[in-house]
Amino acid sequence: MKKKMVAVLLSAAMAAAMTACGGGSSKEEAPAPAETSETEEGEESEAEAPAETSEASGGEFKVGLITDVGGVNDGSFNQSSWEGLQRAMDELGIEANYLESATDADYVPNIETFVDEDYDLIISVGYMLADATKTAAEANPDCRFAIIDDASIDLDNVTCLMFRQEQASYLVGYVAGLMTESNNIGFVIGMANETMNQFGYGYCAGAIDANPDIKIQQYNANSFADSATGKTNANSAITNGADIVFHAAGATGLGVIEACQEAGVYAIGVDSDQSSIAPNTIITSAMKRVDNAVYDTVKALIEGTLESGIHTYDLSVGGVDIAPTQDLLPAEVISAVEEIKAKIISGEVTVPSNKEEFEAAYGDVYELD
């Protein structure tokens, strides 16, 4: 059957889009990346014309994306995943689509929709979709699946895309430790679990290494789609003296950013470069290049080289990093971050990724595990 490439346009402003999440098919206009996308080497790829061979190489492939509850316009994890798939559409000529999950009850029917429509690859965004993805993969061994931030599925037709998010979080924690004037910073997490706590371990470790006298207030919003709770948590941290607040909370983090903007303190974004949301407030972001992982996975599918198992993206391959937008950072802070980044890549600095490693180095400081 002849395939047509999906055309994508920039959606409405993020605040308006946050109310539009649902479990139905999203074959209408979808958001284009707010920022110029980058390859792992940091080169800009915006506005590149599709390769001349893209239709021949990718035109017979259909790839579907299932978001978590934050929705495709969360300005974070889900949106970055969709941006990677948009790039694959533009450059590889695939047909692609996404389905949003308003609640966890949407995971199974959303996946089943793409299975029924004979999609070649179904990408699940986030560990929350692990059970639904495993069940579908077991029932449909001829369909390929990929899941982001989960390594629990050991099946021949499932690729697990993992990230060393503690490394990126360490870098922004290091920034916070150097930039705070009150020696008091905050952290809001979307949900406390093994995967998400890696953000906290990295952030706290980086902040302490940069500033041993620092106080780190920690909050669990227990949701990735509750901006009101994120704002309440951030306001609590600010009231208690924090002058920088980092969120690892998906769409919940939009409330964190809003609170910081209103209070005139700095915020730190997550997953993508969130500076465009509040340019005078977001000092930096801990980036997980989910977009690169999605693109790489689709490219491997087309080339016939996609393998099952765990694929890990770290700082050394550009899988995680600090945001390229650094307008609010002094030159000496940028230089210090580059030095510490090199030490992480060389192995001179080891960033803790679990409770045992963190407490061995820093004691009982992290409170959310």
Side-chain angles (χ1 to χ4, degrees):
M1 183 175 64
K2 187 177 181 180
K3 308 297 182 182
K4 294 183 179 180
M5 189 183 304
V6 178
V8 289
L9 300 173
L10 188 64
S11 69
M14 176 138 353
M18 283 297 299
T19 64
C21 298
S25 179
S26 300
K27 294 186 178 180
E28 301 174 358
E29 295 178 354
E35 299 289 333
T36 299
S37 62
E38 295 185 336
T39 64
E40 288 184 6
E41 291 76 24
E43 296 177 349
E44 293 184 348
S45 61
E46 187 179 43
E48 292 181 357
E52 292 181 0
T53 60
S54 64
E55 186 66 25
S57 60
E60 296 301 313
F61 289 88
K62 294 167 62 177
V63 180
L65 184 80
I66 310 294
T67 77
D68 202 351
V69 295
V72 78
N73 292 296
D74 64 351
S76 182
F77 196 56
N78 292 295
Q79 185 167 331
S80 180
S81 302
W82 176 237
E83 289 172 358
L85 197 50
Q86 287 177 297
R87 181 181 162 209
M89 282 191 286
D90 291 341
E91 297 183 10
L92 304 176
I94 63 165
E95 180 179 342
N97 195 6
Y98 68 86
L99 292 172
E100 293 184 302
S101 303
T103 71
D104 56 6
D106 293 325
Y107 299 155
V108 170
N110 282 348
I111 293 174
E112 288 178 347
T113 294
F114 283 145
V115 170
D116 292 342
E117 294 178 359
D118 295 323
Y119 274 64
D120 300 289
L121 173 66
I122 300 171
I123 302 173
S124 299
V125 184
Y127 65 89
M128 297 287 287
L129 286 82
D131 290 342
T133 301
K134 181 179 180 181
T135 298
E138 289 174 334
N140 302 277
D142 293 332
C143 181
R144 298 303 304 261
F145 295 83
I147 185 167
I148 296 166
D149 270 355
D150 181 83
S152 68
I153 306 175
D154 185 14
L155 295 171
D156 291 339
N157 58 334
V158 179
T159 302
C160 301
L161 305 174
M162 302 295 292
F163 299 82
R164 295 294 303 274
Q165 50 237 13
E166 72 277 5
Q167 293 181 342
S169 299
Y170 182 97
L171 295 179
V172 300
Y174 205 83
V175 169
L178 294 177
M179 292 290 291
T180 180
E181 296 181 357
S182 63
N183 287 340
N184 188 331
I185 61 176
F187 174 56
V188 178
I189 198 171
M191 197 166 290
N193 54 47
E194 183 177 354
T195 297
M196 295 305 299
N197 285 335
Q198 291 175 344
F199 286 97
Y201 297 136
Y203 181 64
C204 292
I208 293 169
D209 283 351
N211 185 347
D213 297 324
I214 203 162
K215 175 181 179 181
I216 308 166
Q217 300 181 57
Q218 302 160 48
Y219 299 85
N220 178 14
N222 203 34
S223 173
F224 294 106
D226 186 354
S227 60
T229 297
K231 185 173 183 178
T232 297
N233 291 158
N235 278 330
S236 295
I238 294 165
T239 298
N240 291 325
D243 59 359
I244 301 173
V245 183
F246 171 44
H247 85 86
T252 297
L254 296 178
V256 174
I257 294 169
E258 183 179 357
C260 292
Q261 188 174 27
E262 291 177 356
V265 303
Y266 286 132
I268 295 176
V270 76
D271 292 335
S272 60
D273 185 347
Q274 294 191 309
S275 59
S276 62
I277 299 173
N280 296 320
T281 297
I282 298 177
I283 194 173
T284 188
S285 300
M287 294 186 66
K288 287 173 61 173
R289 295 310 304 266
V290 184
D291 56 336
N292 285 343
V294 168
Y295 178 88
D296 291 347
T297 301
V298 175
K299 189 171 185 288
L301 173 74
I302 293 170
E303 295 174 347
T305 59
L306 181 61
E307 297 180 351
S308 61
I310 301 170
H311 298 247
T312 301
Y313 289 77
D314 64 8
L315 188 60
S316 67
V317 298
V320 298
D321 206 343
I322 197 168
T325 301
Q326 301 176 348
D327 297 346
L328 300 179
L329 299 181
E332 59 269 22
V333 171
I334 296 173
S335 177
V337 170
E338 289 302 315
E339 289 180 10
I340 204 70
K341 185 191 299 186
K343 291 180 179 180
I344 293 172
I345 293 173
S346 71
E348 184 178 347
V349 171
T350 301
V351 180
S353 61
N354 56 51
K355 182 176 182 178
E356 181 180 359
E357 292 175 354
F358 181 85
E359 292 188 349
Y362 301 95
D364 189 18
V365 173
Y366 188 66
E367 303 168 356
L368 302 180
D369 54 5

